[in-house]
Amino acid sequence: MRNDVVVGPRSDARRSRKALVAAAGWGGGVEGGSAYLPFWALSFGSGPAVAAAFKSPAPAGGVRALLCRGDARSVTSSGRGTGPSQPSLAMGLIFAKLWSFFCDQEHKVIIVGLDNAGKTTILYQFLMNEVVHTSPTIGSNVEEIVVKNTHFLMWDIGGQESLRSSWNTYYSNTEFIILVVDSIDRERLSITKEELYKMLAHEDLRKAAVLIFANKQDMKGCMTAAEISKYLTLSSIKDHPWHIQSCCALTGEG
Ligand SMILES: Nc1nc2c(ncn2[C@@H]2O[C@H](COP(=O)(O)OP(=O)(O)OP(=O)(O)O)[C@@H](O)[C@H]2O)c(=O)[nH]1
Ligand SMILES: [Mg+2]
């Protein structure tokens, strides 16, 4: 276990680092499968852009995305002032526009769950393949992940009771909800359930897909993903794509 990064507490949301990471380092997977399968792209069928972004995760993806942005801008500026009568330049401009459009896509992800569930640990495991020392998140952490040309803005929101009433301030434009469950915390699963259904009923999240992480699978006596799924009555959720995945944030498994 590497413990050289310390995270939180943070008093406010801020973009602390522009991380370029490979999804291959930490993605959910098809259970029993050996290939890393990017969690939301495959689980939710959330559209070709997202699916394509995750299909062949590679470290170069994020870097390429940034290069791609730079290219788009330079093509655009070199065409400026030349007028549309030159077909090759006009085509260049159109191409640049399309290029930058696809490069600039950003998808908002919120990571929610009760305090101590492992949200911050998961976020940084995903970003850096590392286990970080955490303390309870006050407010939120936000990180950007770029995979190929697709940007994911990941909001890790503090889960303490006093903070839960403000979760809804993060909901607008959210496309993906990651709900992290502490699989050993049987006593509070009912609270998680309550929070889940409250979220799903929220207008701003009506189109959001949900990924549930049954975290802390390394703990003896933990609930399985199937148990959690049953308790949360996930099969009754018809109006949101959802997927449950068991994982262990400490090892990055799952
Ligand atoms: N055994 C075990 N411990 C974990 C795992 N994931 C996280 N933890 C530990 O659980 C504790 C809480 O983790 P955090 O990531 O800070 O939890 P959080 O959900 O962000 O909590 P809040 O910020 O208070 O909402 C830390 O001590 C982590 O090291 C896991 O998979 N297994
Ligand atoms: Mg946290």
Side-chain angles (χ1 to χ4, degrees), residues 38-154:
F39 51 83
W40 47 70
L42 299 176
S43 307
F44 304 144
S46 54
V50 182
F54 279 94
K55 244 171 200 151
S56 53
V63 177
R64 254 203 313 276
L66 288 185
L67 289 174
C68 162
R69 286 184 132 188
D71 288 346
R73 288 195 188 114
S74 63
V75 172
T76 307
S77 59
S78 71
R80 209 172 278 153
T82 54
S85 58
Q86 299 172 40
S88 61
L89 283 174
M91 274 180 69
L93 283 171
I94 293 166
F95 180 72
K97 240 185 168 156
L98 284 170
W99 191 254
S100 64
F101 173 77
F102 285 114
C103 285
D104 286 342
Q105 283 190 48
E106 192 164 79
H107 302 273
K108 182 175 171 186
V109 181
I110 55 170
I111 307 175
V112 290
L114 303 188
D115 46 297
N116 201 49
K119 300 177 293 296
T120 304
T121 312
I122 284 179
L123 173 66
Y124 288 95
Q125 175 66 265
F126 184 52
L127 282 170
M128 310 183 301
N129 261 338
E130 280 183 26
V131 174
V132 299
H133 279 303
T134 60
S135 49
T137 304
I138 310 298
S140 57
N141 301 306
V142 59
E143 299 287 354
E144 187 179 35
I145 298 176
V146 184
V147 182
K148 295 221 165 173
N149 292 340
T150 308
H151 297 232
F152 293 91
L153 207 54
M154 317 274 293

Side-chain angles (χ1 to χ4, degrees), residues 125-197:
Q125 175 66 265
F126 184 52
L127 282 170
M128 310 183 301
N129 261 338
E130 280 183 26
V131 174
V132 299
H133 279 303
T134 60
S135 49
T137 304
I138 310 298
S140 57
N141 301 306
V142 59
E143 299 287 354
E144 187 179 35
I145 298 176
V146 184
V147 182
K148 295 221 165 173
N149 292 340
T150 308
H151 297 232
F152 293 91
L153 207 54
M154 317 274 293
W155 290 85
D156 158 35
I157 307 171
Q160 291 174 62
E161 191 174 359
S162 58
L163 301 171
R164 285 176 220 149
S165 60
S166 61
W167 283 2
N168 59 12
T169 60
Y170 294 88
Y171 290 169
S172 72
N173 300 318
T174 294
E175 289 176 68
F176 305 102
I177 303 165
I178 296 180
L179 173 66
V180 182
V181 178
D182 179 344
S183 305
I184 198 78
D185 191 359
R186 291 171 191 271
E187 291 75 34
R188 296 199 301 164
L189 196 53
S190 59
I191 303 174
T192 298
K193 185 175 181 180
E194 213 174 285
E195 294 295 344
L196 170 64
Y197 285 94

